[in-house]
Amino acid sequence: MKLAELAAKVGGELVGDGGIEIRGLASAEDAGPGDVTFLSNPRYEAAVAGTRASAAIVNASWAGACPCARICVPNADRAFALAATCLGPAPVRYEPGVHPSAVVAADARLGAGVSVGPCCVVARGASVGARTVLVAGCYVGEGVEIGEDGLLYPNVVVREGTRIGKRAILHPGAAIGNDGFGYVKEGAAWIKVPQVGGVELGDDVEIGANATVDRARFGKTVIGHGVKIDNLVQVAHNVRIGDHSAMAAQVGISGSTRIGRGVQLGGQAGLAGHLDIGDGAIVGAQAGVTKNVAAAAFVSGYPAMPHAEARRMHAHLMRLPETKKRLEAAEARIERLERMMTANGKGDAQA
């Protein structure tokens, strides 16, 4: 499409030739003529200054060097997402119907336009909402409820006692409703504690590949509306996650922890059990959270502490080798002074 048309679609102000033909999207480093790129993080200003792209989507407040046409918008990340919708490849279309190799229980309920792909299983009493797609190899357990317009990629497992809202996206290998990690010690043996609760996912939830959400020991594990969970995340039993929270890959959340609305968890962060994480809190990557986190707080490090304090601690840690050398030099000097004082003392005594 023409650049002027793209600017109108993303709601931006065009600076430059609106007649330029735009054919694709690319990073500032990889873009060439006919591509549009974007800048939202100032650290990539140099890349945009040297880009070969035909146009760049930038924040309206940015006034750096740009060798190409610009579309100025309030939020470059959001505008580039809209541009990707306009210029990216069309999404794969799945034909409604049930593949001959799929197994659908006689009393399962499939809404209008549902697509059940090869080797899927929809168990007794399950219901799948209108236009939802089970791509291939998916398992939907007994009594499971899945809302409208969902998309379950290959090999997703949704076990009994799970309810999923509208427009859910579950990526390959995601497992919802696994047994929680519950055991009691009896002598040398571990005795399994039945996990009799369920899982509830709100609307517009997206769960990454091979992520797991455990069923509750009793009651339910709850994932709120609009929550985004990256690949390889572990959500344990009876966890509750508030609306519109997001967590990056390999986060681990222990049982019965409550996470507020709009919380952000960085990659590989680990949260102990029975904690409260306040609304709007941010937990840095690889942080180890052992205590409650207040609303709107930013914590990092291990054990997790206010981010500014963690940065100071890290700076001191990075200076340890230098500090060690200075300490060794000081100790050697003190030792020499002590030998000199001892020698001088003996001389005085003899005199």
Side-chain angles (χ1 to χ4, degrees):
M1 64 179 64
K2 300 296 184 183
L3 182 59
E5 183 183 359
L6 180 62
K9 287 183 178 293
V10 302
E13 178 184 351
L14 176 61
V15 179
D17 182 4
I20 296 172
E21 186 82 18
I22 299 296
R23 298 184 298 274
L25 308 97
S27 67
E29 295 91 341
D30 298 332
D35 289 331
V36 62
T37 188
F38 81 115
L39 173 68
S40 63
N41 190 327
R43 75 168 60 179
Y44 298 110
E45 288 183 355
V48 170
T51 189
R52 296 173 57 245
S54 293
I57 296 172
V58 300
N59 290 322
S61 59
W62 183 70
C66 184
C68 57
R70 281 187 265 188
I71 298 175
C72 301
V73 295
N75 185 329
D77 279 318
R78 172 62 176 153
F80 196 69
L82 291 173
T85 302
C86 298
L87 293 166
V92 176
R93 295 182 60 86
Y94 299 96
E95 292 299 322
V98 178
H99 191 274
S101 65
V103 177
V104 179
D107 64 347
R109 301 181 301 280
L110 305 182
V114 164
S115 175
V116 181
C119 301
C120 290
V121 174
V122 182
R124 293 179 300 176
S127 65
V128 180
R131 299 172 300 280
T132 288
V133 175
L134 312 180
V135 175
C138 296
Y139 174 78
V140 178
E142 292 189 9
V144 166
E145 298 178 23
I146 300 177
E148 300 172 357
D149 299 302
L151 177 56
L152 278 63
Y153 282 105
N155 301 321
V156 167
V157 173
V158 183
R159 279 188 50 189
E160 68 279 4
T162 298
R163 181 188 177 279
I164 298 176
K166 301 175 182 177
R167 298 175 297 278
I169 301 174
L170 275 57
H171 289 273
I176 313 300
N178 319 291
D179 283 4
F181 191 70
Y183 302 89
V184 293
K185 196 76 178 291
E186 187 173 286
W190 291 100
I191 308 301
K192 184 176 178 64
V193 175
Q195 307 290 297
V196 298
V199 177
E200 181 178 299
L201 274 59
D203 298 337
D204 301 299
V205 169
E206 184 163 359
I207 296 182
N210 296 318
T212 60
V213 180
D214 290 349
R215 69 175 52 254
R217 180 176 180 180
F218 41 81
K220 56 189 176 182
T221 301
V222 178
I223 310 297
H225 299 305
V227 170
K228 310 303 180 187
I229 296 177
D230 199 2
N231 305 330
L232 297 169
V233 169
Q234 154 72 0
V235 179
H237 57 190
N238 290 96
V239 166
R240 288 178 173 258
I241 300 176
D243 297 348
H244 306 296
S245 291
M247 54 208 66
Q250 297 184 354
V251 162
I253 305 172
S254 299
S256 299
T257 284
R258 292 174 177 264
I259 296 173
R261 295 170 55 92
V263 171
Q264 300 176 57
L265 305 181
Q268 294 187 335
L271 281 65
H274 303 272
L275 299 181
D276 286 312
I277 312 299
D279 294 349
I282 299 175
V283 177
Q286 294 189 328
V289 182
T290 59
K291 299 186 296 185
N292 294 341
V293 176
F298 182 5
V299 300
S300 62
Y302 181 84
M305 63 190 77
H307 183 60
E309 183 179 340
R311 290 185 64 182
R312 288 193 296 271
M313 295 282 287
H314 183 72
H316 292 319
L317 185 64
M318 291 299 98
R319 287 195 289 268
L320 274 182
E322 176 191 347
T323 303
K324 179 175 181 291
K325 290 179 181 179
R326 292 173 60 188
L327 180 60
E328 289 173 342
E331 288 176 338
R333 185 181 179 195
I334 291 170
E335 187 177 344
R336 289 196 302 271
L337 289 171
E338 288 177 340
R339 286 200 300 268
M340 291 172 60
M341 292 175 65
T342 301
N344 290 338
K346 287 182 178 179
D348 292 343
Q350 291 172 355

